[in-house]
Amino acid sequence: MSIEMMIELKNVHKGFGPKKVLQGIDLAVPKGESLVIIGGSGTGKSVTLKCVLGILQPDQGEILVGGEDVTKFSTGARKRILSKFGMLFQGAALFDSLPVWENVAFGLIQGKGMNKKDAHEIAIEKLRRVGLGADVGNLSPAELSGGMQKRVGLARAIATEPEIIFFDEPTTGLDPIMADVINDLIVECVKDLGATTMTITHDMASARKIADRIAMLYHGKIIWEGTKEEIDQSGNAHVDQFIHGRAQGPIEMELLKL
Amino acid sequence: MRNPLAIIGQVVLASLAEIGSLSRFAGTAISHIVRPPIYWRLILKQMWLIGYNSLPVVGLTALFTGAALAQQIYVGGSRFNAASVVPGVVVIAIVRELGPVLGGLMVAGRVSSAMAAELGTMRVTEQIDALVTLSTDPFKYLIAPRLIAAVITLPLLVLVANIIGVLGGYMIGTGRLGLNEGTYLQVTVDFLERADVISSLVKAAVFGFFIALMGSYHGYHSRGGAQGVGKATTNAVVSAFIAILLANLIITVIVFGGTGA
Ligand SMILES: Nc1ncnc2c1ncn2[C@@H]1O[C@H](COP(=O)(O)OP(=O)(O)OP(=O)(O)O)[C@@H](O)[C@H]1O
Ligand SMILES: [Mg+2]
């Protein structure tokens, strides 16, 4: 293979106690591409991203970032590799002890040692990109609506213009128009910054807009992967049921069996 | 029925594991205290939160304790020579034991719980994970400043507590029990030794360390939503109390370890 892979997961397993969540994930994201992960609630999509970030330690398997196996990294090496990452958490995870603008500027000030004045300017610009005015910058995260918090989290994830960005359900809780603005923003990140992204979403319109490739996670494994054009002819009953949001199908059968 | 020995064994093993994990946590935290960068702004903020906000409760505790102590000693000591016994015992008891211990416990009740609740909430809302992804070490950014601030602030608080405690004794002694004002102060100064003051402040610093350590440790490791944070908060206070009382005993034995021989 001549394409340079930015992120590779090889046979990654992760469980919590007796509960097996990931049971052999294989994924590869080429540099500058956008991969969307879909899959039912609780199947381990967020856990997959956290394993790549080193927030969770996989029980087994290899995770390569830029060709280096990050599962064997020391704290120092992890810090170096994390400076390449931006992450939007599913629950936004804003620091509630800091005003909104300092949340967005955090990676610039603490991570890159930028002075506060310049970082403030960039933060306000990033907030504007996610549709929030400068006045929002001085509020505390607790004063924002859920959708606004999500957008601040997004601004924080892209503020340092990282090489790799993870978006965990970026459009959940947003109105359809704002969701499309965010989709455009993510596409821009990939096109303009050349970032490699992994996005988790349940929103198929969003998936079709931002994905180069789509992968479906089911029962701890990637059961289907392909380009967004291929997804309608996947020939996979699980994928079909998921993208059309049907209650009937093989996935329901599994649920009933439990 | 399970074998009682097995149960005891399990409890011992679990406690040892907990102590091991706590020691590792403390070791990591200390290694971050001595390595730059040091977040002065965060340290000052924590000092303010720990110190200034604890002043009223620590002051009142010391005042009432000093006053009650003077009354007790007077009743017990009047058979000998109340005028010299009351000020002497009050100042020794307050400075050596009650100032640091009661001050430490009061601050632990306020501060360990607050730290555990704050860090615990940050843990369960993934703010600590977010910190890591922003290339910031939570030990450096969250825990080291709390430890440094507590170790600096507690001696200052205890110093104030000691003075107010003696003052409480003085007020009861001169106001209610009719002891001579000048003599009271003179005896207080005569009885107090440098070692008393130093040991008092050393105790305070050690207690400060444990207050912040227990608050941070339990908060940092909390899991499972609001309930988990609640549990972390309780555990932080209880373990800080035990650590303070145990450390107090150890320091007292080391510093004033005479056996009368
Ligand atoms: N820290 C943890 N401790 C224990 N179990 C966990 C932990 N994190 C996740 N899990 C479990 O792992 C499973 C997968 O969780 P994950 O958050 O990855 O789901 P998800 O695919 O992102 O779902 P959703 O679409 O609802 O966000 C869940 O069953 C969850 O209970
Ligand atoms: Mg999730």
Side-chain angles (χ1 to χ4, degrees):
Chain A
M1 223 181 345
S2 60
I3 317 165
E4 190 191 336
M5 289 299 165
M6 195 62 166
I7 300 166
E8 274 180 281
L9 285 83
K10 294 182 179 166
N11 193 30
V12 172
H13 289 247
K14 175 72 189 173
F16 298 96
K19 182 173 184 176
K20 305 245 175 307
V21 179
L22 306 182
Q23 306 179 51
I25 297 277
D26 289 294
L27 267 181
V29 193
K31 192 171 181 342
E33 276 208 8
S34 166
L35 175 77
V36 166
I37 302 178
I38 57 174
S41 188
T43 47
K45 302 181 299 296
S46 299
V47 168
T48 305
L49 295 190
K50 286 179 191 166
C51 283
V52 178
L53 291 167
I55 293 169
L56 293 173
Q57 199 64 32
D59 302 330
Q60 194 188 320
E62 273 179 35
I63 297 174
L64 307 180
V65 175
E68 295 178 274
D69 187 353
V70 295
T71 58
K72 300 189 176 65
F73 268 10
S74 65
T75 335
R78 169 148 293 130
K79 193 173 169 192
R80 173 174 59 79
I81 207 93
L82 277 172
S83 66
K84 296 186 182 180
F85 279 91
M87 166 83 181
L88 165 63
F89 285 83
Q90 190 168 354
L94 302 179
F95 305 129
D96 39 32
S97 59
L98 297 176
V100 164
W101 80 265
E102 273 194 65
N103 266 278
V104 177
F106 197 92
L108 297 167
I109 297 172
Q110 303 297 344
K112 308 225 146 130
M114 185 184 282
N115 71 57
K116 279 202 157 182
K117 197 170 152 290
D118 294 347
H120 181 262
E121 236 164 76
I122 295 177
I124 296 302
E125 160 63 14
K126 299 292 174 190
L127 284 172
R128 196 188 56 73
R129 300 269 307 261
V130 296
L132 295 170
D135 48 324
V136 174
N138 295 322
L139 298 178
S140 127
E143 296 172 87
L144 306 182
S145 75
M148 290 165 91
Q149 292 183 359
K150 198 96 204 201
R151 285 184 277 157
V152 175
L154 193 77
R156 184 175 69 180
I158 61 173
T160 55
E161 308 197 340
E163 286 175 54
I164 306 168
I165 319 177
F166 290 170
F167 302 101
D168 198 341
E169 306 197 6
T171 56
T172 307
L174 303 183
D175 65 78
I177 300 169
M178 188 48 73
D180 207 48
V181 170
I182 298 304
N183 290 336
D184 285 337
L185 182 67
I186 293 175
V187 171
E188 250 176 72
C189 283
V190 177
K191 295 262 145 44
D192 300 355
L193 307 176
T196 309
T197 64
M198 280 171 84
T199 307
I200 294 173
T201 187
H202 296 293
D203 170 358
M204 286 314 296
S206 167
R208 286 172 204 275
K209 185 145 188 183
I210 63 188
D212 291 311
R213 295 180 71 79
I214 300 178
M216 174 147 170
L217 184 59
Y218 182 69
H219 273 202
K221 289 201 160 95
I222 300 297
I223 55 158
W224 184 85
E225 198 195 336
T227 64
K228 62 179 159 187
E229 291 78 18
E230 290 164 356
I231 197 162
D232 292 307
Q233 286 86 41
S234 67
N236 183 311
H238 292 85
V239 174
D240 273 344
Q241 186 191 350
F242 191 87
I243 64 175
H244 297 112
R246 286 193 288 258
Q248 270 77 42
I251 300 179
E252 186 210 26
M253 304 296 280
E254 291 293 338
L255 290 178
L256 289 178
K257 261 195 263 169
L258 291 177
Chain B
M1 263 277 291
R2 285 204 298 162
N3 181 349
L5 272 180
I7 296 174
I8 293 172
Q10 267 170 7
V11 170
V12 170
L13 283 182
S15 317
L16 287 178
E18 184 77 8
I19 290 171
S21 143
L22 180 64
S23 315
R24 241 174 301 130
F25 185 90
T28 312
I30 290 170
S31 78
H32 279 280
I33 288 176
V34 294
R35 275 182 294 153
I38 292 170
Y39 294 105
W40 293 108
R41 210 167 55 93
L42 295 178
I43 295 173
L44 287 176
K45 184 179 158 197
Q46 288 299 326
M47 285 178 68
W48 179 262
L49 289 175
I50 298 168
Y52 185 76
N53 294 337
S54 298
L55 265 179
V57 63
V58 168
L60 284 177
T61 307
L63 186 71
F64 295 149
T65 306
L69 199 59
Q71 180 67 47
Q72 281 289 7
I73 304 299
Y74 181 80
V75 175
S78 55
R79 279 162 281 175
F80 313 106
N81 183 358
S84 73
V85 172
V86 171
V89 176
V90 166
V91 73
I92 294 293
I94 290 283
V95 173
R96 284 188 182 182
E97 292 288 327
L98 296 172
V101 172
L102 289 181
L105 293 177
M106 295 313 276
V107 178
R110 273 195 69 249
V111 171
S112 297
S113 54
M115 284 182 181
E118 187 180 3
L119 294 180
T121 304
M122 291 188 76
R123 165 62 72 196
V124 301
T125 57
E126 302 185 321
Q127 290 179 50
I128 293 184
D129 293 335
L131 207 56
V132 174
T133 66
L134 292 163
S135 309
T136 304
D137 195 311
F139 275 89
K140 183 129 277 167
Y141 187 79
L142 295 174
I143 293 162
R146 283 170 168 76
L147 283 170
I148 296 172
V151 169
I152 297 174
T153 311
L154 257 284
L156 299 175
L157 275 173
V158 165
L159 197 63
V160 174
N162 289 344
I163 293 169
I164 295 181
V166 168
L167 190 71
Y170 173 85
M171 277 159 55
I172 287 283
T174 57
R176 188 161 187 279
L177 308 174
L179 303 179
N180 178 281
E181 292 160 13
T183 320
Y184 194 106
L185 288 182
Q186 187 58 48
V187 174
T188 298
V189 173
D190 288 346
F191 258 80
L192 194 62
E193 284 173 16
R194 183 188 300 232
D196 297 329
V197 177
I198 292 174
S199 80
S200 184
L201 300 184
V202 168
K203 280 181 177 182
V206 171
F207 298 168
F209 176 79
F210 281 115
I211 287 168
L213 179 69
M214 294 307 184
S216 304
Y217 174 78
H218 289 283
Y220 188 81
H221 289 293
S222 69
R223 57 191 73 248
Q227 209 181 359
V229 174
K231 211 172 116 200
T233 308
T234 311
N235 288 343
V237 175
V238 172
S239 55
F241 276 19
I242 293 173
I244 286 173
L245 294 172
L246 182 62
N248 180 59
L249 175 61
I250 293 172
I251 297 172
T252 298
V253 168
I254 292 174
V255 177
F256 307 102
T259 51

